[in-house]
Amino acid sequence: MSEGRDRLFDRPGPVGDFVFDAEVARVFPDMISRSVPGYAAIINMIELLTRMHAQAGTRLYDLGCSLGAASLAMAKGLPHDDCTLIAVDNAPAMLERAQQHAQQAERPIEFRESDVRKIVIERASMVVLNFTLQFLPPDDRVTLLQRIRAGLVPGGILILSEKIAGETPEEDALLVELHHAFKRQQGYSELEISQKRAALERVLRPEPLSIHRNRLQRVGFDRADTWFQCFNFVSIVARA
Ligand code: GEK
């Protein structure tokens, strides 16, 4: 299975909305690691968080699994034999590659091709939304989080990683500037950066961290703590 370098936006031209198709699936590992500062560290820590929080006899969900990097980390960290690991994505091209990657997984992973909004979440000790909630229309975010909260066992956790907006226009401008400098350092050109930005504009809608934390508390999480941040990329652990 060949996976290549991300050059999807290096030609000038009309830019349509970003979609998770076969072209994106083919370059996805390169794309996400050169676009999300700290991505490898977050995946690594998901293994650790799984080791700490997975409870025997429960389910673990990776919602918006893409090629299954977080699912594989969860499979590696999972200390119990009687848990069920469920990975969900609605993009067939992504899921197809995820299933191939999962042949190396340390535990079985059940893949489901579905919208995350339609998945039944029950008896879960851990749910991962690693850069997925940002792709849902803002009105649907609260409903999904309510369903996740209702499906968690006592002591269960949600790992929510998101691209965020700044709390003020000044903070937002700084975070965007730093992110673009990171992308340049990773070898993306100005054209690639601006065309990718245009492609994501209507598809990925970041919200400020305060909105995420307040919403998590509103839907009934006891705590919502930021455990990772690099520029405009954060990961929160929310406890039931
Ligand atoms: C990782 N978690 O590597 N239902 C199901 N899947 C969806 C939906 C939806 N409504 N909307 C988007 N997706 C991964 C990275 S990528 C993040 C997640 C990024 C899926 C979409 O098909 C894609 O695979 C994933 O969410 C988002 O840890 O590309 O910035």
Side-chain angles (χ1 to χ4, degrees):
M1 184 186 21
S2 70
E3 272 159 12
R5 186 152 173 99
D6 170 24
R7 295 204 170 82
L8 298 185
F9 293 98
D10 74 349
R11 300 273 142 75
V15 180
D17 283 349
F18 188 86
V19 282
F20 290 95
D21 58 12
E23 275 302 283
V24 168
R26 191 178 60 76
V27 299
F28 190 74
D30 180 67
M31 173 185 278
I32 196 150
S33 59
R34 291 200 293 131
S35 303
V36 176
Y39 174 75
I42 293 173
I43 294 294
N44 206 12
M45 296 311 152
I46 286 175
E47 177 191 333
L48 186 96
L49 287 157
T50 307
R51 189 161 294 125
M52 292 168 67
H53 293 282
Q55 298 179 37
T58 61
R59 298 177 173 192
L60 289 85
Y61 294 84
D62 179 13
L63 302 180
C65 65
S66 295
L67 306 201
S71 316
L72 288 175
M74 291 159 88
K76 202 165 168 198
L78 195 51
H80 309 289
D81 290 332
D82 58 353
C83 288
T84 308
L85 182 44
I86 298 159
V88 182
D89 206 287
N90 64 355
M94 302 296 273
L95 215 51
E96 194 181 314
R97 280 181 186 263
Q99 275 163 310
Q100 289 164 5
H101 283 205
Q103 287 164 9
Q104 303 143 28
E106 259 133 277
R107 297 197 184 267
I109 301 171
E110 283 182 20
F111 286 97
R112 308 223 177 125
E113 186 183 321
S114 168
D115 193 303
V116 295
R117 289 166 288 191
K118 295 197 177 131
I119 284 288
V120 175
I121 296 160
E122 53 191 4
R123 284 191 293 112
S125 59
M126 185 165 175
V127 177
V128 171
L129 278 169
N130 203 35
F131 303 109
T132 303
L133 194 72
Q134 59 195 20
F135 290 104
L136 295 190
D139 287 350
D140 291 355
R141 297 178 187 183
V142 70
T143 321
L144 177 62
L145 293 172
Q146 274 164 342
R147 292 185 39 245
I148 291 172
R149 174 63 191 86
L152 282 169
V153 298
I157 60 161
L158 164 68
I159 305 294
L160 174 64
S161 310
E162 287 277 290
K163 182 175 187 183
I164 56 162
E167 300 289 338
T168 61
E170 292 76 16
E171 188 195 19
D172 196 63
L174 173 70
L175 295 176
V176 169
E177 188 189 336
L178 288 165
H179 179 222
H180 287 180
F182 169 78
K183 291 193 74 164
R184 259 176 242 122
Q185 183 200 53
Q186 296 299 309
Y188 284 115
S189 66
E190 296 304 327
L191 179 70
E192 286 176 294
I193 293 170
S194 72
Q195 297 207 129
K196 174 85 177 286
R197 190 175 200 199
L200 283 173
E201 199 141 46
R202 284 184 298 271
V203 180
L204 190 171
R205 271 160 288 178
E207 297 170 304
L209 187 54
S210 57
I211 300 268
H212 286 291
R213 293 174 65 120
N214 292 341
R215 186 167 47 212
L216 287 165
Q217 271 164 0
R218 240 183 19 250
V219 304
F221 284 94
D222 275 354
R223 300 192 53 85
D225 300 302
T226 305
W227 65 272
F228 174 92
Q229 177 159 10
C230 185
F231 309 149
N232 38 359
F233 294 85
V234 302
S235 191
I236 297 167
V237 55
R239 287 153 216 272

